[in-house]
Amino acid sequence: MHSKERVFSGIQPSGTSHLGTYLGALKNFVALQDDYETFYCIVDLHALTTPRDPKVLRSSVREIAAIYLAAGLDPSRAIIFRQSSVGEHAELCWLMNCVAKVGELSRMTQFKDKTQRGGAEAASVGLYAYPVLQAADILLYNAHLVPVGEDQRQHLELARTLARRFNNLYGDTFVVPEIMIPKTGARIMALDEPTAKMSKSRPTPGGYISLLDEPDEIRRKIRRAKTDSGTEVTATPDKPAISNLLGIYAGLSNRTVPEVEGQYRGKGYGDFKKDLAEVVVEGLSPIRERALELLDDPRELDALLESGAEKARAVARPVLRDAASRMGLD
Ligand code: AMP
Ligand code: TRP
């Protein structure tokens, strides 16, 4: 039998996942599970790179597990697990730390952005090495394809560079992974500030729609979302706010932006926003309801994660052993 190619991706258990996480990543995770052998990780080691309350971290892990399932991942096909349960991630990360270069990590824009306020000197070494751990995550499964949002492009480029470098130094070991970025929804912007990415760490809750927001909360946030000057519902560079809202509409209704623009020709922002609110409510409510149900039974979620980790370990162990042995560790 021809074995399926592999997909790997991960989401951090930090804050609440939002519409950007869903359209940029999670929606694709679900679509890929039919045709690939899929590994979807809850990257708790990555979450530790900035300080966390241990209790909150534990509950965030379960929340992401519930959201994975509620969004449509099927544990009989997709392997869902927690990164820290598979020790091979941290081990391969160390090996890759010895292959990656300080210069490369110093060019990572996410590190620069995240340390802009407090300064790089005060950042954890973990935050600096974050992209190396991410590369290790992917290479450990010899994943061919990595579905992510646009903000992960540079990290994926580094993963490809490290795979190639390792292969050149020690012989053909790792698959060089391809990045997969969706056509619509790759970069959802904040509702209150359409020039900034919708993000978990945004201080204003009006900027993002959490996957667990109540329908009325969603309606309120869409009603208050920033719009642009003018009246036409079109995605043009001078209309960053409406372009963003059109992207959300298109992504959730599985249509293209021009199709949605066509539907609102001759109509105003008010009509569009009213319909958009219902599109978002319809898209997210089933996820929210199912996730909350699943969160009622945390032991079931823990058991699911443990069984995923077992399957993940079985794949990761020989890959790590092979890499270590090629470096002379045997
Ligand atoms: P995170 O929640 O930061 O771990 O991100 C999980 C996934 O969601 C990654 O693939 C990100 O690229 C993607 N993502 C996060 N925020 C956004 C956004 N605003 N628009 C599109 N994709 C996003
Ligand atoms: N850095 C990613 C993010 O914040 C999460 C992540 C960790 C990831 N490891 C990964 C994504 C491996 C894809 C593949 O969104």
Side-chain angles (χ1 to χ4, degrees):
M1 198 184 80
H2 176 70
S3 66
K4 286 181 180 172
E5 290 195 339
R6 295 202 182 119
V7 164
F8 185 98
S9 196
I11 296 182
Q12 285 196 62
S14 57
T16 327
S17 293
H18 51 69
L19 198 50
T21 327
Y22 180 66
L23 291 175
L26 199 46
K27 192 167 166 250
N28 272 327
F29 293 7
V30 179
L32 291 165
Q33 66 182 344
D34 295 331
D35 298 326
Y36 292 84
E37 187 182 0
T38 48
F39 296 82
Y40 297 126
C41 193
I42 300 168
V43 291
D44 52 357
L45 298 176
H46 278 106
L48 287 181
T49 56
T50 50
R52 303 268 160 221
D53 177 333
K55 266 208 217 103
V56 176
L57 179 60
R58 281 190 197 100
S59 72
S60 300
V61 168
R62 289 186 180 130
E63 192 177 293
I64 301 286
I67 285 173
Y68 272 171
L69 297 177
L73 290 181
D74 168 8
S76 71
R77 286 178 287 168
I79 298 175
I80 297 171
F81 67 105
R82 163 182 199 157
Q83 187 184 31
S84 62
S85 305
V86 181
E88 283 79 359
H89 287 252
E91 278 191 68
L92 184 60
C93 179
W94 182 259
L95 303 186
M96 299 315 284
N97 270 334
C98 299
V99 173
K101 297 185 193 302
V102 169
E104 284 165 336
L105 294 183
S106 302
R107 285 194 291 275
M108 293 289 128
T109 55
Q110 196 168 80
F111 179 77
K112 289 193 224 169
D113 291 348
K114 283 193 178 174
T115 55
Q116 207 171 26
R117 248 208 260 140
E121 296 284 315
S124 73
V125 175
L127 189 66
Y128 191 63
Y130 179 113
V132 183
L133 178 59
Q134 181 163 351
D137 293 342
I138 300 164
L139 303 184
L140 199 48
Y141 299 89
N142 276 319
H144 294 83
L145 201 60
V146 183
V148 281
E150 178 64 42
D151 61 353
Q152 296 302 310
R153 190 185 285 282
Q154 196 186 25
H155 289 165
L156 261 292
E157 284 302 332
L158 180 74
R160 289 166 56 80
T161 301
L162 296 183
R164 281 199 215 96
R165 185 174 305 144
F166 191 102
N167 290 347
N168 284 334
L169 287 168
Y170 301 107
D172 221 11
T173 310
F174 294 120
V175 169
V176 180
E178 298 289 334
I179 182 170
M180 179 187 180
I181 292 182
K183 280 202 192 72
T184 4
R187 190 171 171 82
I188 300 294
M189 308 308 272
L191 299 180
D192 57 349
E193 182 45 72
T195 52
K197 194 179 65 168
M198 185 180 284
S199 129
K200 293 174 177 175
S201 48
R202 260 188 92 68
T204 49
Y208 64 85
I209 292 176
S210 154
L211 297 182
L212 301 181
D213 275 349
E214 305 260 354
D216 279 345
E217 179 98 35
I218 295 177
R219 292 191 182 98
R220 197 169 48 85
K221 286 181 181 175
I222 301 271
R223 201 164 47 238
R224 293 194 184 162
K226 210 166 166 182
T227 49
D228 308 291
S229 53
T231 54
E232 281 167 46
V233 183
T234 47
T236 46
D238 59 326
K239 293 193 176 199
I242 294 297
S243 304
N244 186 42
L245 298 180
L246 275 164
I248 293 173
Y249 195 124
L252 282 175
S253 58
N254 290 317
R255 290 193 290 166
T256 64
V257 168
E259 277 168 8
V260 181
E261 283 175 329
Q263 187 183 333
Y264 288 92
R265 197 160 297 130
K267 294 187 183 163
Y269 291 164
D271 287 336
F272 170 64
K273 274 177 131 188
K274 221 167 162 194
D275 292 353
L276 172 64
E278 295 317 308
V279 167
V280 178
V281 167
E282 245 172 68
L284 298 192
S285 288
I287 299 178
R288 174 175 160 277
E289 284 162 21
R290 182 78 188 115
L292 293 179
E293 265 171 37
L294 290 161
L295 282 166
D296 273 343
D297 193 350
R299 281 211 304 218
E300 177 78 24
L301 289 173
D302 292 350
L304 170 103
L305 291 178
E306 192 38 49
S307 109
E310 241 168 72
K311 294 180 203 159
R313 268 181 228 123
V315 175
R317 198 173 298 129
V319 178
L320 173 70
R321 283 296 131 237
D322 180 36
S325 149
R326 285 170 185 272
M327 294 177 97
L329 303 172
D330 46 3

